[in-house]
Amino acid sequence: MDFKPANNIQDLQYFGEFGGVNPSISDSSTYTFLSAKTMFDTFEGNADGCYLYSRHSSPSNLYLGEALAAMEGTETANVTASGMGAITGVILELCKANDHIVCSRTIYGGTYAFLKNFTPGFGIATSFVDITNLGLVEAAINEHTKVLYCESVSNPLLEVADIKALAALAKKYNLKLVVDNTFSPLSITPQILGADIVIHSLTKFINGSSDTVGGVVCGTQDFINALRDVNTGACMLLGSTMDTLRAASVLKNLRTLHIRIQQHSKNAMYLAEKFESIGLRTVYPGLPSHPSHAIFKSMLNDEYGYGGMLTVDVGSLDKANELMEMMQNKNLGYLAVSLGFYKTLFSAPGSSTSSEIPEEEQKKMGLSDGLIRFSIGLDADIERTHTVMVDCMRAVGVL
Ligand SMILES: *Cc1c(COP(=O)(O)O)cnc(C)c1O
């Protein structure tokens, strides 16, 4: 792939009100109109460029949205208060009672809970399938299906979706392909591969400082307008709007994303290779042993690598817990959920972020008790990190 997502972010030029190098922060919930007629037209959606009320849109949120749209190669974007705010808005915009979704069975726990427990109450049914098996995906599509939903790199098993092939299926059956790209910003550009709508939890790599939650929906102008429609739009009416002060701070962090992703990927690749070579059961899409390595490689934007996420199966939850506590005591990282921080974060997904998924289903999808999910940090000295991690593994009997 030769798409240059970071260039697209950097080519956007927004000067602040007084020539500031950062755009001025908009600090208002409501906006004045010079004429009453313009206010009416704005409500009717006929006054481009006018701000009405900040749940609808605001300058700071638009700046961040446009930068993320440039990164993802979509016409535009809408930022939201959290990743779940983006996901729930998109699903409820696209699906009404009697509609059906075909969804990857290995997805973020909150998304799984929403589709499994919440949306059936609104008459929206979901079939969960192994997204890497295109035959199963196609077989699950029925006359009510509206949406094909997946994560480009799945949480927590790091399965890789073949976005081009899924886009072809979506086209064939007239579905919307929605891709959550939270685990692989910059590395994968789903829109180029045929995705209709791209979602991120900004909470993770994109903001990168673990100081806020946030989300974004990237898509066509028509779809984003529909989400924001005053009378019918899911984002407008459900109200998960990002605060404008926060949008300004996320935009500043976004500008260094390319450097951070390169370092996350470099460090994760280093550890994954070492771990695998000493016999640890390691899953990392950058390893040739990963079942979808070739697919990831075919989708990869050069120079960003395979991302910062890897998993190691240490055999049992007790061993996993012991190891994680010891690594935290040695200051190798933090025993915490979430990802994309400068410091390595680790957790056992079976008992934390994926605990919404019933144990039996966890087993079926290969999510074992002893699995540790790592979000590898920006460590300057990854060789030393590796040495101390291996010491910890020896001490708890994993090696
Ligand atoms: C964290 C996460 C979400 C949810 O995002 P929030 O910002 O926590 O609401 C959705 N998808 C993936 C893949 C995530 O990792």
Side-chain angles (χ1 to χ4, degrees):
M1 303 296 293
D2 54 6
F3 183 69
K4 301 275 186 205
N7 294 18
N8 292 12
I9 297 171
Q10 295 188 337
D11 285 346
L12 288 179
Q13 202 176 50
Y14 302 126
F15 292 126
E17 210 175 341
F18 303 106
V21 294
N22 290 307
S24 300
I25 297 174
S26 54
D27 196 22
S28 295
S29 59
T30 188
Y31 304 83
T32 58
F33 289 88
L34 294 182
S35 84
K37 176 164 187 322
T38 320
M39 181 183 273
F40 175 77
D41 289 345
T42 305
F43 259 98
E44 297 286 295
N46 299 329
D48 267 2
C50 283
Y51 297 98
L52 177 67
Y53 184 64
S54 286
R55 174 154 44 78
H56 181 255
S57 68
S58 61
S60 293
N61 289 18
L62 286 184
Y63 293 140
L64 176 60
E66 290 313 303
L68 291 162
M71 177 180 92
E72 287 296 359
T74 60
E75 284 175 21
T76 188
N78 188 51
V79 296
T80 53
S82 70
M84 285 309 296
I87 292 163
T88 55
V90 165
I91 296 292
L92 294 177
E93 184 67 36
L94 294 173
C95 296
K96 310 295 170 198
N98 298 321
D99 288 344
H100 173 251
I101 299 168
V102 175
C103 180
S104 169
R105 65 179 184 177
T106 60
I107 46 167
Y108 179 68
T111 311
Y112 179 84
F114 182 68
L115 296 175
K116 179 89 177 176
N117 307 327
F118 196 93
T119 46
F122 294 88
I124 300 167
T126 300
S127 301
F128 296 95
V129 297
D130 176 354
I131 204 77
T132 62
N133 185 333
L134 294 168
L136 285 181
V137 174
E138 185 162 15
I141 296 170
N142 66 39
E143 58 187 316
H144 300 291
T145 311
K146 291 282 156 60
V147 168
L148 190 49
Y149 187 98
C150 68
E151 296 173 359
S152 28
V153 179
S154 81
N155 180 51
L157 292 176
L158 310 181
E159 291 177 348
V160 178
D162 183 345
I163 297 172
K164 258 191 192 156
L166 293 168
L169 271 184
K171 202 161 187 184
K172 179 171 168 192
Y173 293 95
N174 197 24
L175 317 176
K176 294 282 181 221
L177 176 60
V178 180
V179 179
D180 178 338
N181 198 29
T182 300
F183 275 33
S184 46
L186 297 177
S187 296
I188 297 177
T189 310
Q191 186 277 137
I192 305 263
L193 304 162
D196 296 293
I197 294 158
V198 181
I199 292 174
H200 282 279
S201 166
L202 302 178
T203 313
K204 314 298 171 50
F205 289 103
I206 290 180
N207 186 54
S209 49
S210 293
D211 55 359
T212 186
V213 291
V216 69
V217 182
C218 302
T220 61
Q221 188 72 54
D222 282 349
F223 183 68
I224 300 301
N225 286 351
L227 280 176
R228 285 194 192 125
D229 187 282
V230 180
N231 294 304
T232 57
C235 282
M236 181 67 183
L237 298 176
L238 294 170
S240 65
T241 309
M242 179 179 277
D243 181 70
T244 54
L245 298 182
R246 197 50 97 169
S249 86
V250 175
L251 177 61
K252 283 176 270 193
N253 286 357
L254 174 65
R255 291 171 175 157
T256 55
L257 179 65
H258 58 301
I259 301 168
R260 289 184 281 115
I261 290 293
Q262 284 167 356
Q263 185 76 4
H264 285 299
S265 290
K266 174 170 160 266
N267 285 351
M269 188 66 161
Y270 180 87
L271 290 178
E273 280 177 342
K274 292 281 186 194
F275 288 167
E276 185 173 61
S277 75
I278 54 175
L280 285 167
R281 272 180 288 163
T282 310
V283 173
Y284 181 65
L287 294 174
S289 62
H290 190 285
S292 306
H293 174 69
I295 288 174
F296 197 135
K297 193 168 180 186
S298 75
M299 301 192 290
L300 185 66
N301 291 316
D302 291 339
E303 79 210 73
Y304 296 109
Y306 296 85
M309 303 302 294
L310 65 87
T311 68
V312 175
D313 189 341
V314 299
S316 73
L317 182 59
D318 286 345
K319 280 241 174 341
N321 288 343
E322 204 183 337
L323 178 60
M324 291 191 294
E325 286 170 12
M326 185 176 285
M327 288 191 298
Q328 177 161 260
N329 288 336
K330 301 268 183 203
N331 198 17
L332 293 170
Y334 300 141
L335 174 46
V337 299
S338 200
L339 40 135
F341 198 36
Y342 82 96
K343 196 89 174 171
T344 293
L345 302 178
F346 32 79
S347 56
S351 54
S352 62
T353 50
S354 295
S355 56
E356 294 92 338
I357 303 172
E359 230 170 276
E360 199 174 301
E361 284 177 54
Q362 290 194 16
K363 275 216 184 80
K364 242 194 282 168
M365 61 177 70
L367 210 172
S368 57
D369 280 350
L371 195 77
I372 301 179
R373 182 186 79 176
F374 287 83
S375 164
I376 303 300
L378 301 172
D379 309 31
D381 187 353
I382 196 67
E383 291 83 358
R384 180 188 159 275
T385 302
H386 165 252
T387 306
V388 184
M389 275 186 182
V390 169
D391 287 347
C392 292
M393 289 172 184
R394 290 220 166 87
V396 303
V398 165
L399 282 173

Coordinates of all heavy atoms in Angstrom, one line a residue, residues 141 146 148 163-177 193-196:
I141 N -25.4 -14.5 6.3 CA -26.1 -13.3 5.8 C -27.5 -13.8 5.4 O -27.7 -14.8 4.8 CB -25.4 -12.8 4.6 CG1 -24.0 -12.2 5.0 CG2 -26.2 -11.7 3.9 CD1 -23.1 -11.8 3.8
K146 N -28.2 -6.1 7.4 CA -27.9 -4.7 6.9 C -26.4 -4.4 7.1 O -25.9 -3.5 6.4 CB -28.7 -3.7 7.8 CG -30.2 -3.7 7.5 CD -30.5 -3.0 6.2 CE -31.8 -3.5 5.6 NZ -33.0 -3.3 6.4
L148 N -22.3 -5.7 8.1 CA -21.2 -6.6 8.4 C -20.2 -5.9 9.3 O -19.7 -4.8 8.9 CB -20.6 -7.0 7.0 CG -19.6 -8.1 6.9 CD1 -20.1 -9.4 7.6 CD2 -19.3 -8.4 5.4
I163 N -10.2 -7.4 4.9 CA -11.2 -6.3 4.6 C -11.6 -6.3 3.2 O -12.8 -6.1 2.9 CB -10.6 -5.0 5.1 CG1 -10.4 -5.0 6.6 CG2 -11.6 -3.8 4.8 CD1 -9.7 -3.9 7.2
K164 N -10.7 -6.5 2.2 CA -11.0 -6.5 0.8 C -12.1 -7.6 0.5 O -13.1 -7.3 -0.2 CB -9.8 -6.8 0.0 CG -9.2 -5.6 -0.7 CD -8.2 -5.9 -1.7 CE -7.4 -4.7 -2.1 NZ -6.1 -5.0 -2.6
A165 N -11.9 -8.8 1.0 CA -12.8 -9.9 0.8 C -14.2 -9.6 1.4 O -15.2 -9.9 0.9 CB -12.2 -11.2 1.3
L166 N -14.1 -9.0 2.7 CA -15.4 -8.7 3.3 C -16.1 -7.6 2.6 O -17.4 -7.6 2.5 CB -15.1 -8.3 4.8 CG -14.6 -9.5 5.7 CD1 -14.1 -8.9 7.0 CD2 -15.7 -10.5 6.0
A167 N -15.4 -6.7 2.1 CA -16.0 -5.6 1.3 C -16.7 -6.1 0.1 O -17.8 -5.6 -0.3 CB -15.0 -4.5 0.9
A168 N -16.1 -7.1 -0.6 CA -16.7 -7.7 -1.7 C -18.0 -8.4 -1.4 O -19.0 -8.3 -2.1 CB -15.8 -8.7 -2.4
L169 N -18.0 -9.1 -0.2 CA -19.3 -9.7 0.3 C -20.3 -8.7 0.6 O -21.5 -8.8 0.3 CB -19.0 -10.5 1.6 CG -18.6 -12.0 1.4 CD1 -18.5 -12.6 2.8 CD2 -19.6 -12.7 0.6
A170 N -19.9 -7.6 1.2 CA -20.8 -6.5 1.6 C -21.5 -5.9 0.3 O -22.7 -5.7 0.3 CB -20.1 -5.4 2.4
K171 N -20.7 -5.8 -0.7 CA -21.2 -5.2 -1.9 C -22.2 -6.2 -2.6 O -23.2 -5.7 -3.0 CB -20.0 -5.0 -2.9 CG -20.3 -4.0 -3.9 CD -19.0 -3.4 -4.5 CE -19.5 -2.3 -5.5 NZ -18.4 -1.7 -6.2
K172 N -21.8 -7.4 -2.6 CA -22.7 -8.4 -3.2 C -24.1 -8.5 -2.6 O -25.1 -8.6 -3.3 CB -22.0 -9.8 -3.1 CG -22.7 -11.0 -3.6 CD -21.9 -12.3 -3.6 CE -22.7 -13.5 -4.0 NZ -21.9 -14.7 -3.7
Y173 N -24.1 -8.3 -1.3 CA -25.4 -8.4 -0.6 C -26.0 -7.0 -0.2 O -26.9 -7.0 0.6 CB -25.3 -9.3 0.7 CG -25.0 -10.8 0.3 CD1 -23.7 -11.3 0.2 CD2 -26.1 -11.6 -0.1 CE1 -23.5 -12.6 -0.2 CE2 -25.9 -12.9 -0.5 CZ -24.6 -13.4 -0.5 OH -24.3 -14.7 -0.9
N174 N -25.3 -6.0 -0.6 CA -25.8 -4.6 -0.3 C -25.8 -4.3 1.2 O -26.8 -3.8 1.7 CB -27.2 -4.4 -1.0 CG -27.5 -2.9 -1.1 OD1 -26.6 -2.1 -1.1 ND2 -28.8 -2.6 -1.1
L175 N -24.7 -4.7 1.9 CA -24.6 -4.4 3.3 C -23.6 -3.3 3.5 O -22.8 -3.0 2.6 CB -24.0 -5.6 4.0 CG -24.6 -7.0 3.6 CD1 -23.9 -8.1 4.4 CD2 -26.1 -7.0 3.9
K176 N -23.6 -2.7 4.7 CA -22.6 -1.7 5.0 C -21.5 -2.5 5.8 O -21.8 -3.2 6.8 CB -23.1 -0.6 5.9 CG -24.2 0.3 5.2 CD -23.5 1.3 4.3 CE -24.5 2.2 3.7 NZ -24.2 2.4 2.2
L177 N -20.2 -2.3 5.3 CA -19.1 -2.9 6.1 C -18.6 -1.9 7.1 O -18.1 -0.8 6.7 CB -18.0 -3.4 5.1 CG -16.7 -3.9 5.8 CD1 -17.0 -5.1 6.6 CD2 -15.7 -4.2 4.7
L193 N -9.6 -0.2 1.4 CA -9.8 -1.6 1.1 C -11.3 -1.9 0.9 O -11.6 -3.1 0.7 CB -9.2 -2.5 2.3 CG -7.7 -2.2 2.6 CD1 -7.4 -2.7 4.0 CD2 -6.9 -2.9 1.5
G194 N -12.1 -0.9 1.0 CA -13.5 -1.1 0.7 C -14.5 -1.0 1.9 O -15.7 -1.1 1.7
A195 N -14.0 -0.6 3.1 CA -14.9 -0.5 4.2 C -15.8 0.8 4.0 O -15.3 1.8 3.4 CB -14.2 -0.3 5.5
D196 N -17.0 0.7 4.4 CA -17.9 1.9 4.2 C -17.8 2.9 5.4 O -17.9 4.1 5.2 CB -19.4 1.4 4.2 CG -19.7 0.5 3.0 OD1 -19.6 1.1 1.9 OD2 -19.9 -0.7 3.1

